[in-house]
Amino acid sequence: MIERVYASVVGGIVSNVFIGGGQQDDIDVTLADPRPAPGWKYAGGAFSPPPPVESPQEPDAALRIVTNLAFDLRFTKEERVDIEMASLDDPTAPYEMRRQAADIRVALQRANKASWSDLDDPVTRANVQQFEQYGLIGEGRAAEILDTPVDESERP
C-alpha cells in the first residue's frame, strides 16, 4: 500500500507537505513528479517551483574596499611614523596640540577596529585629508592614498 502524500496550500502557496491524513482542502501529490515542496506556487491545478533565490552578488569591482594592511601600506613608512608620533599626548602641550593628538588617535583607533577600509567612506576620507592638513603627509598625498585604483591584491 502506497502512503498518500498531501500538500497544504494557503493563498496559492504550498505551506506544508506531509504523509497521510490529508484534510478536505489538502491536495494529493502522491504521484506528482516533481513533488511540490513548501514555497511552491499552486495555480490552475498545477504546481510550480518558486523562482530561484539569487545568490549574493560578488563584490562590485567598483567598490573601493581594501584590507586594513593594504590601506596602511598606502602610506609610506615615514608617514606612518610621523602619524604615530603626532598621536602621542604631551600633557604640557597647549590644548590645540593635545586636541590634534587626540584627533589622530581617534582616527587610528577607528581604522584598527574596522574589518576593512572603504576608500570612499566620508570619515576615512576626512581623516586622511586631515593628516595632510596637519602636515603629517605631503601635499597631494591624501588624494593619492584615497584615489589610487584598488588593486586585486588589496581586496579583502
Side-chain angles (χ1 to χ4, degrees), residues 84-143:
E84 181 66 28
M85 292 298 295
S87 74
L88 299 175
D89 185 31
D90 177 0
T92 63
Y95 173 80
E96 277 307 309
M97 297 276 302
R98 295 187 74 195
R99 176 91 167 99
Q100 179 177 316
D103 193 42
I104 294 167
R105 284 193 305 277
V106 167
L108 294 175
Q109 288 168 6
R110 180 180 187 268
N112 288 334
K113 290 177 184 175
S115 299
W116 38 261
S117 295
D118 180 353
L119 300 174
D120 290 328
D121 176 67
V123 175
T124 299
R125 295 187 73 78
N127 287 339
V128 175
Q129 291 162 351
Q130 202 160 42
F131 293 162
E132 186 174 307
Q133 291 168 356
Y134 291 159
L136 302 173
I137 60 177
E139 188 175 327
R141 282 287 292 143

Side-chain angles (χ1 to χ4, degrees), residues 5-148:
V5 179
Y6 296 90
S8 179
V9 177
V10 177
I13 304 292
V14 175
S15 64
N16 195 7
V17 176
F18 53 93
I19 297 173
Q23 302 296 316
Q24 180 178 352
D25 294 337
D26 294 335
I27 301 166
D28 186 340
V29 294
T30 305
L31 301 176
D33 185 27
R35 186 170 289 158
W40 281 44
K41 294 180 182 181
Y42 181 72
F47 291 97
S48 61
V53 175
E54 292 186 32
S55 61
Q57 296 290 326
E58 288 295 315
D60 184 359
L63 286 179
R64 296 176 10 84
I65 306 275
V66 297
T67 66
N68 283 339
L69 176 60
F71 180 66
D72 192 51
L73 292 175
R74 285 178 169 234
F75 295 85
T76 66
K77 181 179 180 184
E78 183 177 277
E79 290 169 339
R80 292 192 309 269
V81 169
D82 287 345
I83 292 166
E84 181 66 28
M85 292 298 295
S87 74
L88 299 175
D89 185 31
D90 177 0
T92 63
Y95 173 80
E96 277 307 309
M97 297 276 302
R98 295 187 74 195
R99 176 91 167 99
Q100 179 177 316
D103 193 42
I104 294 167
R105 284 193 305 277
V106 167
L108 294 175
Q109 288 168 6
R110 180 180 187 268
N112 288 334
K113 290 177 184 175
S115 299
W116 38 261
S117 295
D118 180 353
L119 300 174
D120 290 328
D121 176 67
V123 175
T124 299
R125 295 187 73 78
N127 287 339
V128 175
Q129 291 162 351
Q130 202 160 42
F131 293 162
E132 186 174 307
Q133 291 168 356
Y134 291 159
L136 302 173
I137 60 177
E139 188 175 327
R141 282 287 292 143
E144 185 178 338
I145 290 164
L146 294 166
D147 298 332
T148 296

